[in-house]
Amino acid sequence: MSYNADPILFEAISAVTATASTELGVRRKVGDKKYVYIYNGGGANITPYSMVTVLTAAVGVNTCTVSTTAGHVVKGIAVATITAAYYGWILTEGPVTISCGSGSSSLDLGAQQVGTDGVCKTLTTNGYPVGNLNTAVVSGNTGLLWVQLP
């Protein structure tokens, strides 16, 4: 018989709260997906499927904002809207459906990084990989991204 010392968490992964419901940085596994609990300190809402990065090291590694720079190291991908100054969960490992906006370039099969609009773009030489697409995604469609972040 095995035992586990993980915290018991009663809220859904999509839950967003004005006060912390657990400690920042708590990790959680649900099925084949892993999540981390963060605070949105960026001043704007983090929308679903946006790449999320640390706001600044000065405020702590679990105070985050939307990443819009290709060189940013991504902490996770939002699975629900996290309102500014609220707490929520972001995906750090596992499959997630991503969108290639109708105004965006198509996404090639393979490694992806942060695009200028906070969503995916095909990895370039100066980028930091966030995951891999299992198939190319044309503009205006969705695809399955396998995320694996520290």
Side-chain angles (χ1 to χ4, degrees):
M1 180 179 276
S2 76
Y3 294 93
N4 190 332
D6 289 340
I8 298 172
L9 303 168
F10 295 102
E11 67 185 14
I13 289 299
S14 59
V16 175
T17 59
T19 57
S21 58
T22 190
E23 291 182 37
L24 288 176
V26 164
R27 293 187 178 268
R28 172 179 191 176
K29 184 174 181 184
V30 179
D32 59 353
K33 297 179 180 184
K34 293 181 182 177
Y35 302 87
V36 66
Y37 194 68
I38 60 115
Y39 173 73
N40 178 3
N45 294 348
I46 299 173
T47 56
Y49 315 117
S50 293
M51 305 290 169
V52 178
T53 191
V54 174
L55 184 59
T56 67
V59 295
V61 296
N62 296 305
T63 300
C64 299
T65 189
V66 174
S67 178
T68 56
T69 303
H72 279 174
V73 175
V74 173
K75 185 165 183 77
I77 297 178
V79 293
T81 297
I82 304 173
T83 309
Y86 274 64
Y87 299 83
W89 296 93
I90 58 174
L91 178 79
T92 59
E93 185 176 324
V96 63
T97 299
I98 59 155
S99 175
C100 182
S102 57
S104 303
S105 300
S106 297
L107 301 173
D108 297 332
L109 171 70
Q112 304 297 306
Q113 71 179 41
V114 177
T116 55
D117 53 0
V119 294
C120 280
K121 81 173 209 172
T122 301
L123 185 67
T124 60
T125 55
N126 66 340
Y128 180 84
V130 297
N132 284 292
L133 277 174
N134 63 349
T135 185
V137 180
V138 297
S139 182
N141 290 300
T142 60
L144 187 65
L145 179 72
W146 182 268
V147 178
Q148 189 159 5
L149 297 165

